Amino acid sequence: FFREQQETHCFVYTKLHQEFSRNLEAAVTAWRESRGMGEDHLEAMLSYGKASGDQQAMQIVDVLINLLEYGRWIEYMFALKRNPDFMNELWDQSSKPGWESIGASDVKWETQWWEQWTDAEWGQWENSVVGGDSGWQEWSDKDWEDWWAKQETWQENWEDKKKDWTDRSWLDEMAPPPPTPKSMQVQVPEGVAPGQDLQVTTPDGQVLLVTVPDHVSAGGVFAVSYFPG
């Protein structure tokens, strides 16, 4: 959402800040109520801590003021985005649980992802997805329903494809066919008895160690199968 030098995004920044403020205030309220404190109690506690030089209390007040005031908040957001260490840590944490709540308070975001788009990006979407001459700005609810039904049909077909592809044995289909075995005749030399091992060479140069069958004596012939090298 936060792209610098994008003035057309100022409205969505404001909307995000309003939602952030509501979530933060809800979290503070949940924390305060869990301790049986009213708003006046919290205010008195922070005021006392600030007046007595309590650094933790002063830090809490400063953070609340900075984050609840839009101008300071947006500068803070951009400062975080310019911090590579923070962005790397944020990227690492994005897939982990814990984003749904602050303490005992559920986090609620109503801003949609597409609200970050500029007019130029909407134009690109119109040309690539809907069709440049579709006049989608004038579409009725029925037109949008028809367009969405087409997307759902595509999605259903895609889900069917995914299931078919999951059930298929891709490795078997992609693997080359197994080689066809060949056979050669081996004559048992003198001095070799049935059951003994015999070293033979195939026509393509492979050296095999075979066992002479029980029923074949010296001078006899038996078949040996091999795969071409």
Side-chain angles (χ1 to χ4, degrees), residues 70-184:
Y70 173 77
R72 297 184 181 182
W73 175 82
I74 194 65
E75 288 297 327
Y76 184 61
M77 292 298 106
F78 283 127
L80 290 177
K81 191 161 187 178
R82 289 190 292 265
N83 185 327
D85 293 335
F86 172 80
M87 294 305 296
N88 289 335
E89 184 176 351
L90 182 64
W91 180 265
D92 181 61
Q93 296 292 325
S94 60
S95 60
K96 297 179 180 179
W99 294 90
E100 302 85 5
S101 62
I102 304 176
S105 177
D106 292 335
V107 173
K108 298 178 181 179
W109 296 104
E110 298 177 356
T111 303
Q112 304 298 316
W113 62 269
W114 48 261
E115 294 184 60
Q116 65 180 297
W117 285 4
T118 62
D119 291 342
E121 289 167 332
W122 275 109
Q124 292 176 357
W125 173 81
E126 178 184 10
N127 291 326
S128 63
V129 179
V130 182
D133 57 351
S134 63
W136 62 270
Q137 297 92 334
E138 308 299 328
W139 280 6
S140 65
D141 291 344
K142 179 65 166 56
D143 293 329
W144 279 109
E145 289 172 3
D146 292 342
W147 178 82
W148 183 247
K150 294 178 181 178
Q151 313 311 306
E152 289 186 325
T153 300
W154 182 90
Q155 181 69 18
E156 290 170 359
N157 292 338
W158 172 249
E159 293 297 331
D160 291 340
K161 283 290 185 184
K162 286 199 299 183
K163 184 178 185 304
D164 292 341
W165 291 346
T166 300
D167 295 338
R168 287 174 65 176
S169 178
W170 291 98
L171 292 179
D172 292 344
E173 294 180 20
M174 295 172 63
T180 302
K182 291 188 175 183
S183 180
M184 58 182 259

Side-chain angles (χ1 to χ4, degrees), residues 134 138 206-207 214:
S134 63
E138 308 299 328
Q206 298 182 69
V207 177
D214 291 338

Side-chain angles (χ1 to χ4, degrees), residues 17-48:
H17 178 254
Q18 290 173 346
E19 293 186 355
F20 172 84
S21 298
R22 285 198 297 269
N23 285 318
L24 179 59
E25 290 171 356
V28 172
T29 299
W31 176 86
R32 176 175 51 76
E33 291 178 348
S34 69
R35 288 159 174 75
M37 299 170 56
E39 291 184 7
D40 52 341
H41 295 108
L42 177 62
E43 183 179 355
M45 182 181 69
L46 293 176
S47 298
Y48 175 78

